Amino acid sequence: MKTIALYFKIHQPFRLKRYRFFDIGNDHYYYDDFANEEIISRIAQSSYIPTTKTLLKMLSDSHNEFKCTISISGTAIEQLQLAVPEFIELLKKLADTGKVEFLSETYSHSLASLEDPEEFIRQVKAHDDLIKSLFGLTPTIFQNTELIYDDELSLLIGSMGFKGVLTEGAKHILGWKSPDFVYCSAANPALSILLINDKLSEDISRNFNNPAWDQYPLTADKYLSWIDNLPADEQCLNLYFSMETFGSFIPAQSGIFQFLEALPSFAKESGIKFSLPSEIIKNCKPVGSLSVPYPISGVDEARDVSAWRGNDLQKEALGKLYAVAERVNLANDRRLKLDWDRLQSSDHFYYMSTKNLADGASHASFSPYDSPFSAFTNYMNVLADFLVRVEEQFPADIDNEELNSLLLTIRNQASEINALKKEVKTIRQNVENSDVKSLPKK
């Protein structure tokens, strides 16, 4: 039986205000609060809220046979808690159904996996702790920022305890293979790989509202018939969307919500079910291994990481930022660490991309800046002030040997604390067992 996993991505960065060279050292607040609140409130009202309400109705109408998966960054959650708390309550209702899974990811939708493995691990833990505290769920499937993935990362993901990873079904990696199977990592066979079916996802996100498309208009029964007519052995379809697709990129008057709402009933008629990614990995064995020697992503025609690391501007900004990672994480300044998270969002570097439409890119349409150089200049002004604050916490004259010694001490202390916690737990269990044995027999 064919099964569909529907994924909805939610991410918003903290956009920076216009920050001049003369602000460095004088103004330590970097964000455009008006733009951030206006944008997330508008998108929530046009897209996030109606989409989530539609998903709740689909769950109710299908008697919980419908299932879906949510991917939401920590920076998006922060903004939604401030500006649209009612949407967080709707996500909690989705979580309470038991039919919705939340993916793990980096807290800031960052590029830490490409720059700093330790920072990557910290961010993933921070994200998953937030998901657990808000929704009571512990993610078991990982999805990196913009689906970035390679063999090296598979080892790191596996070491963190994840059972599977969702990434792009990039043609240059798949070759003749279909994305509609479960694979395993060639570098880490214990890690299952789920691949997005680009074509079927883009039939909705790019073509649903396109009158020039030869299949226009797209209806739910037509869409499900395409899935039903796929080869019988292609049973696991991963369909991935930015939640903004519904109601924002594709307006409500197009009928997009009615299309979405009709999917479960037509799927049932065709004998197609909906599953969570953790269920797919549990029920479907990998058909083979997949090697990804160089990082892939879900962005641009190239499906690589050049959207964020493709020019000297981006490399300079990333290098300067992650050069202070260890010093920031040693600091006790909460505001500094908050800014550290927000400055890592991949969006800041995406705005600096010089790729053009000929490369299959559309970066300028998402950027609040006039040009990539303007994005770079503004970011580097902010970063210069941030680095001054880091310098105040840990001056540059603290050499690497002294810093590494301090890091080693902290790590040793953490190991000792964990060991003591385990010892206390064992003692408590022994005491409880002793108390049970000492009870008089009836």
Side-chain angles (χ1 to χ4, degrees):
M1 176 184 288
K2 286 184 171 61
T3 188
I4 297 172
L6 272 182
Y7 302 85
F8 298 89
K9 181 187 84 169
I10 303 168
H11 166 63
Q12 292 294 330
F14 279 87
R15 293 164 184 82
L16 303 176
K17 67 183 180 182
R18 293 298 188 267
Y19 194 89
R20 302 169 303 165
F21 175 80
F22 300 104
D23 294 324
I24 299 170
N26 299 311
D27 182 3
H28 301 322
Y29 192 78
Y30 309 136
Y31 313 106
D32 188 337
D33 289 339
F34 177 81
N36 286 322
E37 183 175 353
E38 188 277 327
I39 289 170
I40 202 156
S41 297
R42 171 168 45 82
I43 293 174
Q45 295 303 322
S46 65
S47 175
Y48 296 163
I49 289 175
T51 302
T52 307
K53 287 182 176 179
T54 300
L55 294 175
L56 284 166
K57 188 174 189 304
M58 292 162 71
L59 281 159
S60 175
D61 291 349
S62 68
H63 305 291
N64 283 340
E65 289 184 1
F66 172 71
K67 299 174 184 178
C68 66
T69 303
I70 302 293
S71 158
I72 182 168
S73 68
T75 54
I77 289 175
E78 282 185 37
Q79 292 185 68
L80 288 161
Q81 286 176 316
L82 291 171
V84 201
E86 62 269 30
F87 176 66
I88 298 295
E89 295 306 311
L90 285 174
L91 287 181
K92 289 178 180 179
K93 288 183 180 180
L94 275 179
D96 290 343
T97 65
K99 303 297 181 179
V100 175
E101 186 166 356
F102 282 76
L103 295 181
S104 173
E105 61 176 275
T106 58
Y107 186 93
S108 305
H109 204 70
S110 77
L111 303 172
S113 64
L114 301 173
E115 302 292 334
D116 189 320
E118 290 192 10
E119 174 61 20
F120 170 76
I121 292 170
R122 184 197 70 80
Q123 278 212 21
V124 172
K125 184 179 186 306
H127 173 271
D128 293 358
D129 287 347
L130 181 60
I131 295 297
K132 175 68 174 178
S133 66
L134 280 178
F135 308 117
L137 300 173
T138 300
T140 60
I141 308 298
F142 182 76
Q143 171 214 253
N144 199 13
T145 301
E146 301 299 339
L147 305 169
I148 294 171
Y149 172 81
D150 64 8
D151 288 338
E152 185 177 351
L153 184 59
S154 75
L155 298 172
L156 191 54
I157 296 169
S159 71
M160 296 167 69
F162 293 107
K163 304 301 181 185
V165 60
L166 176 71
T167 189
E168 179 69 26
K171 293 181 178 64
H172 67 279
I173 293 297
L174 278 173
W176 56 268
K177 297 176 182 176
S178 166
D180 304 330
F181 294 96
V182 177
Y183 295 90
C184 67
S185 165
N188 179 16
L191 183 74
S192 294
I193 302 174
L194 298 174
L195 299 172
I196 291 165
N197 187 309
D198 262 354
K199 182 186 180 304
L200 285 169
S201 298
E202 291 180 357
D203 281 341
I204 295 175
S205 61
R206 289 192 178 184
N207 291 317
F208 183 86
N209 203 32
N210 176 18
W213 185 39
D214 61 359
Q215 295 296 328
Y216 182 86
L218 182 62
T219 59
D221 57 337
K222 182 195 292 187
Y223 189 71
L224 267 300
S225 71
W226 293 345
I227 294 175
D228 191 33
N229 290 329
L230 289 172
D233 58 344
E234 295 186 17
Q235 295 190 347
C236 308
L237 288 100
N238 297 288
L239 305 177
Y240 184 85
F241 310 96
S242 168
M243 189 175 278
E244 292 171 64
T245 299
F246 302 88
S248 183
F249 300 155
I250 303 176
Q253 56 266 33
S254 68
I256 188 64
F257 291 115
Q258 290 79 3
F259 170 86
L260 183 61
E261 189 178 325
L263 289 177
S265 60
F266 284 107
K268 188 173 183 179
E269 288 180 10
S270 301
I272 299 169
K273 67 176 183 177
F274 289 88
S275 294
L276 303 176
S278 57
E279 293 174 335
I280 292 177
I281 284 176
K282 181 179 179 181
N283 298 327
C284 301
K285 292 183 179 180
V287 296
S289 64
L290 203 61
S291 177
V292 185
Y294 303 105
I296 59 173
S297 79
V299 173
D300 299 344
E301 292 296 327
R303 296 294 194 257
D304 58 14
V305 295
S306 59
W308 308 277
R309 299 171 92 195
N311 63 42
D312 290 340
L313 303 179
Q314 295 166 313
K315 292 172 184 175
E316 172 74 7
L318 284 165
K320 287 283 194 295
L321 177 67
Y322 282 99
V324 297
E326 290 185 333
R327 294 171 189 262
V328 174
N329 286 320
L330 284 173
N332 294 318
D333 187 329
R334 181 180 175 276
R335 183 75 230 184
L336 190 74
K337 290 192 171 185
L338 189 66
D339 292 333
W340 168 244
D341 279 337
R342 294 176 179 180
L343 289 176
Q344 287 188 67
S345 290
S346 62
D347 310 70
H348 303 308
F349 310 99
Y350 186 81
Y351 301 148
M352 300 176 199
S353 176
T354 50
K355 298 178 76 173
N356 55 42
L357 291 174
D359 303 313
S362 56
H363 302 208
S365 61
F366 291 97
S367 176
Y369 300 97
D370 297 332
S371 69
F373 185 74
S374 295
F376 171 76
T377 302
N378 200 69
Y379 183 84
M380 294 306 284
N381 285 342
V382 169
L383 186 58
D385 184 81
F386 178 78
L387 295 179
V388 168
R389 294 163 59 204
V390 175
E391 170 80 6
E392 290 172 352
Q393 297 273 339
F394 293 95
D397 57 10
I398 298 179
D399 60 26
N400 288 334
E401 185 175 343
E402 187 177 349
L403 186 64
N404 289 336
S405 175
L406 183 56
L407 284 168
L408 181 61
T409 300
I410 292 172
R411 288 168 185 155
N412 287 340
Q413 287 175 344
S415 298
E416 290 175 10
I417 291 170
N418 287 333
L420 287 171
K421 285 181 178 178
K422 290 180 181 178
E423 188 175 338
V424 168
K425 185 178 180 181
T426 301
I427 292 171
R428 283 177 177 169
Q429 289 175 341
N430 290 338
V431 170
E432 289 173 0
N433 292 337
S434 176
D435 289 343
V436 170
K437 289 180 181 179
S438 65
L439 291 173
K441 295 181 179 181
K442 293 184 179 180

